[in-house]
Amino acid sequence: MAKQTKSLHTNLHDDATQSAPKTSRHKFQVKSEDDNNLELNLTNHFLIAMPSMMDPVFGGTVIYLCEHSPRGAMGMVINRAIELTVAGLFDRIDLKLEIIPDSHPIGKRPVIFGGPVQDDRGFVLHTPVGEYSSSLKVTEEIAFTTSRDVLEAVAAGDGPEQVLISVGYAGWGAGQLEQEILANGWLTVAADARILFDLPLEERFAAAIKLLGIDPLMLASEAGHA
């Protein structure tokens, strides 16, 4: 499993680096009196787009960060659906919901726009972690899987208890995300699995902001007067 996970890290970071602007290469570090620098690690955090972010791809989004290191960061948008259901996705990739009929709730769930990187591939955020051929273990309870076997398990009715299926993911090269945070492009807060898996998509942005103790309406008002 460790070898497969390392390969997953390498492939995802390479894709993210190739798609990231080459102007953003600065490390974000907390200076201390010691020679060692404490690097920011936002793994298992939400990125919440500031209202001032006008980017058509990421404006209004909440992103769950699956990994953050000096090499870069990657995660999944969790509140933007595409016009495709899970049943429709399975049909496209020749997976049949034989055990779970088309009327089962999971088949009616929307597929998420996870981000602009590899937006022709499916990715699954799920709990529990389980054992699949290509997974990134984010926490003890949550994993990000890129291999088809997790979708086969879902189709067969014995997949993870909770899943979020996306097309594409979000990626940043070394220093790029840190620069965007310093430019006030994102708010950050420790992730809440209930928002990640339980809340309707349209409620996730406001719920993530409330984790910071901020009223979403107040934030929008402040942005309007900036």
Side-chain angles (χ1 to χ4, degrees):
M1 181 63 68
K3 184 175 180 181
Q4 291 162 337
T5 303
K6 182 177 179 181
S7 176
L8 173 62
H9 291 201
T10 302
N11 291 339
L12 293 180
H13 275 305
D14 287 347
D15 291 329
T17 300
Q18 290 171 5
S19 63
K22 296 182 179 180
T23 56
S24 303
R25 296 298 177 193
H26 306 292
K27 275 193 176 182
F28 180 83
Q29 296 176 324
V30 179
K31 293 183 179 179
S32 67
E33 295 179 357
D34 299 328
D35 290 335
N36 295 328
N37 288 317
L38 300 175
E39 292 179 350
L40 182 69
N41 187 343
L42 294 174
T43 300
N44 192 39
H45 279 61
F46 289 142
L47 293 179
I48 308 166
M50 288 289 284
S52 57
M53 181 181 288
M54 304 306 292
D55 187 317
V57 176
F58 291 118
T61 62
V62 179
I63 296 175
Y64 177 72
L65 277 184
C66 301
E67 186 177 37
H68 185 209
S69 76
R71 294 185 58 197
M74 56 81 59
M76 180 191 291
V77 175
I78 66 165
N79 67 326
R80 182 171 293 173
I82 63 174
E83 294 183 359
L84 182 67
T85 63
V86 171
L89 174 65
F90 283 6
D91 185 60
R92 289 189 181 187
I93 61 176
D94 297 324
L95 276 180
K96 294 182 179 180
L97 290 168
E98 294 179 350
I99 296 179
I100 302 177
D102 291 344
S103 60
H104 191 281
I106 196 169
K108 295 181 179 180
R109 290 181 187 173
V111 174
I112 304 299
F113 167 73
V117 183
Q118 290 194 1
D119 57 3
D120 59 343
R121 289 188 56 191
F123 301 92
V124 183
L125 201 59
H126 58 89
T127 185
V129 172
E131 295 184 4
Y132 302 100
S133 60
S134 184
S135 289
L136 169 62
K137 186 177 179 182
V138 184
T139 70
E140 291 300 317
E141 295 81 26
I142 299 173
F144 177 84
T145 297
T146 66
S147 50
R148 181 185 172 96
D149 52 354
V150 67
L151 295 177
E152 293 173 342
V154 171
D158 58 0
E161 293 177 9
Q162 294 180 298
V163 297
L164 192 62
I165 301 175
S166 79
V167 173
Y169 69 92
W172 293 263
Q176 184 184 5
L177 177 58
E178 291 83 349
Q179 185 172 344
E180 292 178 7
I181 292 172
L182 287 172
N184 294 319
W186 302 98
L187 294 170
T188 64
V189 65
D192 184 330
R194 292 171 297 178
I195 295 175
L196 192 59
F197 294 110
D198 297 336
L199 280 188
L201 301 187
E202 63 274 11
E203 297 180 15
R204 295 181 178 188
F205 185 84
I209 291 178
K210 288 179 180 178
L211 292 176
L212 291 164
I214 300 173
D215 185 332
L217 295 178
M218 291 283 291
L219 185 65
S221 175
E222 288 297 323
H225 291 85

